[in-house]
Amino acid sequence: MRNFTNRNEARRYKADVNSFGTVVIHRRNPYIVACWSMAFPGFGHLLLDKYARGLLLVIWEVFINQQTHLNRAMVYSFTGDIESAKAVLDVRLLFLYIPVYLFSIWDSYRTTVELNKIAVLVEREDGPFNTFSINAIGINYLEKRTPLMAFLWSSTIPSMGQLYLHRIILAFFTLTWTVVFIYYSHLLEGIHYLILGNVEKSTSVLDPQWLSYIPSYYFFTIYEAYTSTVENNKLFEKEQKNYLKSHYQSPNFKIKKGQKVM
């Protein structure tokens, strides 16, 4: 059940609340979105709620990176061991990686610019949208949440902030990849030996190929959870304002410029 039945009377809608999460159209900085695509192809599209395209690009990034050993080669090059970098790098699929990487940056920037234009039109049209959903899968509704809590939970384990916001699709995806990255990179095993004071053992068990995914992935989930909480709060306040205005405010009520309202 939903508290609003869409009859397509408005041309565009600002948001939709369903059992899998809340999707909001709002203005974003295209340069920031492009930078996240630069850090990890697909992240920029996930920020735009373009889940199918974003998930496809993330899977492509991991697959090609693993086949070419690109992360391991980058680690060797950063430490100055150029010969080892050349030895581990598989160039057979490397040239497939470059065009897709550039496409993800360009497409996320282009899409952000277009969505910003739509966001302006959505604000002007101000069409009603669903704010409450309940069915056999679960319950989701608009509510105000604390951005700091989203930040803190995402700082513990990636995807916790998304679960806090009821962004089920993104939470499931990020949690799955978090387990994969941590398991194959031996990160927790390395931390275990580091706590015991065995630095050499801690360093030797780490797999740089898988470990290199974690920093960008970790900080992305924090950023996405925090910004989504802020935008959801804005949406909640906007919806409350429209509801009170339509149900309780007299249609003849007007605020004149320079006049004090008692």
Side-chain angles (χ1 to χ4, degrees), residues 8 15 20 30 36 57 71 80-81 102 118 122 138 146 163 174 186 192 208 216 247 254:
N8 292 322
F20 294 100
W36 277 114
L57 286 170
N71 281 347
D81 193 351
L102 296 177
I118 295 177
V122 163
T146 307
L163 284 176
T174 54
H186 303 279
H192 171 74
S216 57
H247 286 74
K254 294 181 180 180

Side-chain angles (χ1 to χ4, degrees), residues 195-234:
I195 293 174
L196 295 178
N198 193 342
V199 180
E200 184 177 352
K201 180 68 173 179
S202 175
T203 305
S204 63
V205 298
L206 294 176
D207 186 337
Q209 173 64 30
W210 287 97
L211 186 65
S212 299
Y213 294 119
I214 295 179
S216 57
Y217 210 82
Y218 179 75
F219 289 110
F220 166 76
T221 57
I222 296 175
Y223 175 83
E224 197 280 333
Y226 183 87
T227 55
S228 294
T229 307
V230 172
E231 293 302 326
N232 279 10
N233 288 347
K234 292 179 182 178

Side-chain angles (χ1 to χ4, degrees), residues 22-258:
T22 302
V23 179
V24 186
I25 295 179
H26 62 89
R27 279 176 281 187
R28 300 172 175 88
N29 188 325
Y31 294 105
I32 292 178
V33 175
C35 284
W36 277 114
S37 292
M38 193 180 301
F40 205 114
F43 281 1
H45 293 85
L46 292 178
L47 286 175
L48 299 173
D49 295 327
K50 295 276 190 176
Y51 293 126
R53 201 179 308 179
L55 300 183
L56 181 63
L57 286 170
V58 169
I59 293 172
W60 172 266
E61 156 70 18
V62 175
F63 173 76
I64 296 295
N65 205 314
Q66 288 301 118
Q67 294 299 314
T68 60
H69 309 289
L70 181 60
N71 281 347
R72 190 180 298 273
M74 291 173 62
V75 171
Y76 284 133
S77 64
F78 290 156
T79 57
D81 193 351
I82 306 301
E83 294 302 320
S84 296
K86 293 179 180 178
V88 299
L89 191 62
D90 188 345
V91 297
R92 289 178 298 175
L93 293 176
L94 185 62
F95 293 106
L96 288 178
Y97 178 88
I98 297 173
V100 177
Y101 178 78
L102 296 177
F103 169 80
S104 68
I105 299 172
W106 171 81
D107 188 63
S108 63
Y109 180 91
R110 179 198 63 83
T111 305
T112 307
V113 172
E114 294 303 319
L115 280 177
N116 285 347
K117 296 176 183 177
I118 295 177
V120 174
L121 297 174
V122 163
E123 289 291 340
R124 294 176 180 176
E125 295 172 7
D126 201 18
F129 56 88
N130 181 61
T131 60
F132 183 91
S133 177
I134 179 171
N135 54 34
I137 298 176
I139 306 172
N140 190 25
Y141 47 87
L142 274 184
E143 66 169 322
K144 291 198 73 170
R145 295 178 173 91
T146 307
L148 179 60
M149 292 305 299
F151 175 87
L152 293 176
W153 280 116
S154 294
S155 300
T156 58
I157 298 177
S159 78
M160 294 298 101
Q162 283 68 34
L163 284 176
Y164 173 62
L165 293 173
H166 198 86
R167 295 171 69 81
I168 303 301
I169 297 176
L170 193 56
F172 174 79
F173 179 78
T174 54
L175 182 59
T176 301
W177 279 113
T178 296
V179 173
V180 171
F181 291 155
I182 289 179
Y183 179 81
Y184 285 104
S185 67
H186 303 279
L187 176 62
L188 296 182
E189 186 179 354
I191 294 175
H192 171 74
Y193 288 119
L194 183 64
I195 293 174
L196 295 178
N198 193 342
V199 180
E200 184 177 352
K201 180 68 173 179
S202 175
T203 305
S204 63
V205 298
L206 294 176
D207 186 337
Q209 173 64 30
W210 287 97
L211 186 65
S212 299
Y213 294 119
I214 295 179
S216 57
Y217 210 82
Y218 179 75
F219 289 110
F220 166 76
T221 57
I222 296 175
Y223 175 83
E224 197 280 333
Y226 183 87
T227 55
S228 294
T229 307
V230 172
E231 293 302 326
N232 279 10
N233 288 347
K234 292 179 182 178
L235 184 67
F236 175 84
E237 294 174 355
K238 175 69 175 177
E239 193 277 333
Q240 287 288 298
K241 176 183 176 182
N242 288 345
Y243 178 81
L244 295 174
K245 182 178 178 180
S246 62
H247 286 74
Y248 296 101
Q249 182 173 298
S250 170
N252 298 322
F253 177 80
K254 294 181 180 180
I255 298 180
K256 296 182 180 180
K257 185 177 181 181

